[in-house]
Amino acid sequence: MTEQPRLAERNAAVLLPEPFVKWFGQKGWSPRAHQLDLLAKAQSGQSALLIAPTGAGKTLAGFLPSLTELANRPKRKPGEARRGIHTLYISPLKALAVDIERNLGKPVEEIGLPVTIETRTGDTPSHKRQRQKLVPPDILLTTPEQLALLIASNDARRFFEELRYVVLDELHSLVTSKRGHLLALGLARLRAFVPGLQTIGLSATVAEPDELRRWLVSQASPGAMSEIIVVTGGAKPEISILDSEERVPWAGHSARYATPEIYREIKRHKTTLLFVNTRSQAELLFQELWRVNEDTLPIALHHGSLDVAQRRRVEKAMGENALRAIVATSTLDLGIDWGDVDLVVHVGAPKGASRLAQRIGRANHRMDEPSKAILIPANRFEVLECRAALDANYLGAQDTPPLVNGGLDVLAQHVLGCACGAPFHADTLFNEVRTAAPYASLDRQTFDRVIDFVATGGYALRNYERYARIRQTKEGLWRVSNPGVAQQYRLNVGTIIEVPALNVRYVHAGSRGAASRGGRVLGKIEEAFLETLVHGDTFMFAGKILRFEGIRENECFVSNAPGSDAKVPYYGGGKFPLSTYLAEQVRAMLDDPQRWKKLPEQVADWLRFQADKSVLPKRDDLLIETFPRGNRYYLVAYPFEGRLAHQTLGMLLTRRLDRAGAKPVGFVATDYALAIWSLADMGWMFRNRKPSLATLFDQDMLGDDLEAWFADSWLLKRTFRNCALISGLIEKRHPGKEKSGRQVTVSTDLIYDVLRSHEPDHILLQATRTDAATGLLDVSRLAEMLSRIRGRIVHKKLEQISPLAVPIMLEIGKMPVHGEADETLLMDAATLVEEAMGPEMTE
Amino acid sequence: MNFSLSRATLIAEADLVGIAGERAVCDRRGVLYFPDLRLLAVSDLHLEKGSSFARRGALIPPYDTGATLLRLQAVIADYQPRIVVSLGDSFHDGGGAQRMHQSFREQLEAMMAGRDWFWVAGNHDPEAPADLPGETVKELAVGSLLFRHEPSKTRVEGEIAGHLHPCARIVQRGRSVRRRCFAGDGGRMIMPAFGAYTGSLNVLDRAYAGLFRLETLVAYMLGAERIFAISGSMLRPG
C-alpha cells in the first residue's frame, strides 16, 4: 500500500476526537483521505466544496466537521440558555432530508454523541415546527423553501445566531435552478446574521467547479472561492446498450419492444432500478412489465405525481430490499441511498452524459465496485444518443448547464421575505444581495426597481401607493405594511411552480362522485390533461388503468377499468432536451462510418441506406433535405440541438418562409430534427435562391423575427405566469382554500396582454424575456448553431423521403403541430357547420 | 365625417343574428348591436378589477380599466348607438367607481354624453355606480327583448344576459382553440365578458344547464377579424 493510508491514520488521530477513532476501528474502517482533508479545512475556518462520485462517503464527510465540534462541546449546565441551531443541512429533496436523518442517526447513536438531529420540511406538522423554534435541534435537515420561511420569521436572527455550518447537498443540481437563486439569497442573509459562517458543498462531478466554489462564499470580494477537494476514481461502470433481437422502432418513446428483454434482466438481478424520462413513460413501462410478469415479481412504480403515502411505501419496501424492480422518474435521481440495487436500466436516451452518470451511480453504492447498467434506446436516433452517452461516460465528460444570473422574480420574493423578518435598509440589503454569487453583478437601479415592484407593483401609473405591501419609515427602513402581508408571503414562498392539478380519487364505476365521496386518493394529475377527457375515457395512472367518471371541485373521480386499452396520460414535466455535448457526439458519430461498427446492425444499416439515398451530414454541417409527399412539400433539417432550440427555430423559419411565399402549413420538432411542410415547392425555391438557404438560416432571424414572435408566444405567457407567481404578483393556488369561480382569479395571460401593451418595459416583463431566452427557447444555443453552420449548409433535393427523415415524419400527427393559425382552425370549423347545416343556421 | 358610411359597412359585413325576432350584430369585439333600435349592449366590464385585487394585496397592473374603456370607446365610435346597456358587473366591486382614476372617469363620461345609458345591476355591483350619470336598473325591457345580468332559470324568449362569461372550445386537426363567445339558441343570448381581466367559462359547463335548447345552440366565437358561428354539436367541454 502507499503512504496515503498511514498518513491518513496519523491525521485521523489529530483531527478526530477519541470516540470517532474508536468507532471507525469497531467498524473495521478507516476514515478516507478526503473526509479528513475536508475536516482539516473546516477546522481551520474555511468553507469547502467536496466533489466526489456516489459511494465515496460524501455525507459523512460533510457532517464530520459538525459532529466532531459538537462532540467536543461542553455539556449544557442546568439553567443555561438553550442553544440554537449548530448545523443546517439543505437538500433539494424532502426525501433526501429524511434519508439523511436515518443515515446520520446511526453513527451518531453508535458513537454515543449528544447530538439532536431533526428534519423540517413541508410535511413537518406545525406543532413540531413551533417546538423546533423553541427548542432547536443541533442539526436541522431542511429544504431551500423552508430556509426562506425561517428567514422571513421575526426571530430569524436569534434562531440562527449560533449557526456554525451550512451543509449543501447535491449542490450541482441546486444551483442550476431558481431554487438555487433563492437559496443563494438565503445564504447571504445567514452570512449577515453570522459573519463567521462556514459552508460545505457536496457535489457530483461538474464541468465548472469554480462556479460552485464562488457560489459557496461571499462575493463581497469579487471572485472569492471556497476551498475544493476532488475525489476521483471509483470503479468504472459496466454499461451496455441493449442489442435487441427485436426491431428497434423508427420513432416513439415507449421502448415497448424491449419489455421481454428487460424482464429477463430483472429476473437475473437482485434489485433493478429502471429510470425513464417522463412520468407517462413510467406508467407505460410499469404496465408492460406487469403484463409479462409471469412470476409476479414485486415490481413497483415511483414518480412525483403519486400520492405521498404510496411513494413512502415504495421507498420503505425498497430500503428493506423487498422489491425486485422499481420504475422511477427523476424523483429518484438524486443521492438517495436505498437498498442493494445491482442493476440500473435506463429506458429511453439519457439526454445528457452527466445525468446518465448520476443515475448509474445508484447501482452498487460502493465506490470500489463497478456499477452495472443497461441502456434501452426507444428509437433509432436514441441508439445513436445512447452510444454517444456511453462513450462520453467512459471519457468522464460533463455537460452540466452553465449557471445563469439570479432571477429578478426570485429577488422580489426574497426582498419581501426580508421585510417580513425585520425592517431593512435598502443600501444594506443591496450590499448583502450582491454577496450571493448569482446576484454579484446586480446593479443598483435594477435592485431599486425590484423594491419598487415589491412595494407597489412598480408601475409607471402610480395608482397603488395606498395598497403598498412594504413602506419606508421616517428612518428610511422598509417594513411590511401589515401582518397580513407576511401571512400571504408565507403561503406563497418557493420557486417551484406546480401546474394546476387535481386529486385522483377512486369511486365505484358509474357513479359521478355525487353519491360516494369514498375511495382512496391515488395522486394528482394535471388539470390540462383531465380537460381532454370525457366520461368513460380510460387512462393509465398509479400503475392502474382507470376510467374517468367526472370532476367535482378539485377532485377527479375514477374507477378501475382493468383490461381495457388506455389513453396514456400526458405530463408536462420531465422532458429534458438533448445536451449540447451529447448532440455534438451524435453528429460526430454520424460522420464517422468506423464508429457505426459499435452500433446494432439494424441501425448501422439504416445509416448506410441514408448514405446511399441522400447523404449523412459532416460533423459541423447542417443537412437539409427537401422532398414532396402527398400534396405537401417537406423540409427536414438535422441540427441535433435539442427540442427547445428546434421549436424556436421552427417558429422563426415558418415566419420567414411565409414571407418568402412558401405558404408553410406547420412544423414538428424533436431532439434531433425539425420538419416543416408547405404548399409551395421549397426545394425549387432554395435551388433558385428564392430565397437561398443561407439567407433563410441567417442569424438575423434572432433580431426582429424573434422579437415579433416573442410578443405573442404562448411560451412567453407561460414563462410570465411563473415569474408572476414567484415574484408574488399573484398568489399560488392552495388546495382546500381554492374558491371556485372565475371572478376571484385573474388569468396571467390577460395580465400579460394588458401589461405588455401598456408598460412593455415593466420589470416583470424584463424578467420574463430573460427567462424565456435562456430556458424555454434555448436562444443562445440556437445562436451558436446558426453561427456554426454559416457556409456549411448542405441541401439535398430529393424526390422522396430519406431514411433519416422517417423518424420525424412519423412524429407528425403524434405531436402537436405548430404554426397553423387558430383562426384557420376556427374557419374550418365554421365552414363545416355551414356545409352540414346550410347557411341559415349561421344567421 | 363619414361615420355613417363606416357604420353601414360594419353591419353589411357582419353576420346578423336573430333573437326573438330582433336582428342583432354579434361584433367580434364582444358587443351586441341592434341596428333597428340603435342599441348597443356590452356585458361584464368589471372595471377596476385590478385595483380590487390590489386592495387585497395582489398588485396586478392598474391598466385594465384604461384598456377596457379604450376598446369600448372604439365600438361606440363605430356604431354611434342611441342607447347603451351595460349588462351588469360593470364594476368589479361596489367601491370600483369611487376608486376609478379621474382621467378614466372623464373618458367614460365623454362616451356616455348624448346617449341613454343604462347600468343593469349585477352581482358585483348591485348599487348604482357612485357619481356617474346613467340610469341604474334591475332589468330593462326594450320591445321583445329583456336585458338582465343573470340569465333567468326559466326559459325567457328574447332575454339578453351576461354573468356567465361564456367561452367555447373546438378541436380541429388535433389542436384545441378556445375563445370567448356569444351563446345563443335563437331565443336567448348570453354575452361574452368585455373586461380586460375577465376570465371565461365554457358554455358546456353545468352552470349553463337548462339555459339553451341544445339542438339549436350556436357559439359565436370571437375571432381576430370576424365572428365564427359554431354549432353546439361541435363544441368541447373544458
Side-chain angles (χ1 to χ4, degrees), chain B residues 164-220:
Chain B
L164 289 168
H165 302 201
C167 72
R169 188 167 78 95
I170 58 150
V171 175
Q172 280 292 99
R173 297 202 282 285
R175 285 261 312 276
S176 160
V177 182
R178 186 197 313 250
R179 289 290 168 80
R180 299 184 195 204
C181 71
F182 297 87
D185 61 359
R188 185 207 301 262
M189 176 70 86
I190 299 184
M191 292 188 60
F194 192 83
Y197 283 164
T198 50
S200 53
L201 183 67
N202 195 304
V203 284
L204 300 185
D205 189 273
R206 61 180 168 180
Y208 298 83
L211 292 181
F212 295 112
R213 285 185 294 261
L214 287 177
E215 56 282 7
T216 54
L217 173 65
V218 176
Y220 302 90

Side-chain angles (χ1 to χ4, degrees), chain A residues 74-221:
Chain A
K75 272 213 174 78
R76 187 168 76 97
K77 297 187 190 75
E80 198 181 325
R82 291 217 173 266
R83 289 167 171 148
I85 303 271
H86 178 275
T87 296
L88 197 59
Y89 163 90
I90 293 166
S91 89
L93 287 181
K94 278 190 269 191
L96 197 50
V98 175
D99 194 47
I100 294 288
E101 185 179 26
R102 209 163 45 210
N103 289 347
L104 196 60
K106 220 166 149 192
V108 163
E109 193 188 327
E110 287 169 356
I111 301 170
L113 297 174
V115 173
T116 52
I117 306 167
E118 285 180 16
T119 56
R120 183 186 181 97
T121 70
D123 299 338
T124 308
S126 63
H127 64 87
K128 186 173 169 192
R129 290 191 206 197
Q130 257 159 19
R131 207 251 306 125
Q132 282 175 342
K133 282 278 186 74
L134 296 172
V135 189
D138 299 314
I139 299 178
L140 185 68
L141 315 168
T142 190
T143 60
E145 291 70 30
Q146 292 299 317
L147 175 61
L149 278 173
L150 286 169
I151 281 172
S153 62
N154 49 22
D155 54 358
R157 190 174 284 274
R158 201 174 50 77
F159 187 71
F160 286 116
E161 71 190 350
E162 286 176 74
L163 189 65
R164 288 277 299 116
Y165 292 106
V166 181
V167 180
L168 301 138
D169 206 352
E170 304 285 341
L171 189 59
H172 59 280
S173 98
L174 271 173
V175 293
T176 53
S177 66
K178 287 191 177 181
R179 294 180 85 196
H181 302 162
L182 187 66
L183 181 56
L185 292 167
L187 261 188
R189 185 104 268 234
L190 291 177
R191 275 194 297 260
F193 292 161
V194 191
L197 187 68
Q198 286 171 251
T199 50
I200 295 170
L202 309 177
S203 169
T205 327
V206 287
E208 301 285 343
D210 285 356
E211 287 185 334
L212 299 196
R213 295 173 68 191
R214 281 191 288 274
W215 201 95
L216 282 172
V217 295
S218 164
Q219 296 300 298
S221 42

Side-chain angles (χ1 to χ4, degrees), chain A residues 407-420:
Chain A
L408 296 179
D409 49 349
V410 181
L411 181 59
Q413 185 182 114
H414 179 71
V415 165
L416 186 57
C418 287
C420 292

Side-chain angles (χ1 to χ4, degrees), chain A residues 455 459-461 464 467 531 729 742-745 750-751 759 817 820 822-823 826-828 833 841 843, chain B residues 16 49-50 53 59-63 99 124 163-165 172-173 175 178-179 198 218 224 226 228:
Chain A
Y459 302 107
L461 181 69
Y464 289 165
Y467 309 126
E531 272 187 351
L729 180 73
R742 66 221 170 272
Q743 295 93 338
V744 293
T745 56
L750 297 173
I751 296 178
E759 201 176 334
V817 169
E820 215 162 1
D822 287 354
E823 296 286 319
L826 278 168
M827 182 80 87
D828 281 5
V833 177
M841 265 309 296
E843 287 218 336
Chain B
L16 282 168
K49 182 167 177 173
F53 271 65
L59 303 170
I60 61 177
Y63 302 114
R99 285 198 310 272
H124 279 255
H163 182 61
L164 289 168
H165 302 201
Q172 280 292 99
R173 297 202 282 285
R175 285 261 312 276
R178 186 197 313 250
R179 289 290 168 80
T198 50
V218 176
R226 53 167 280 200
F228 297 95

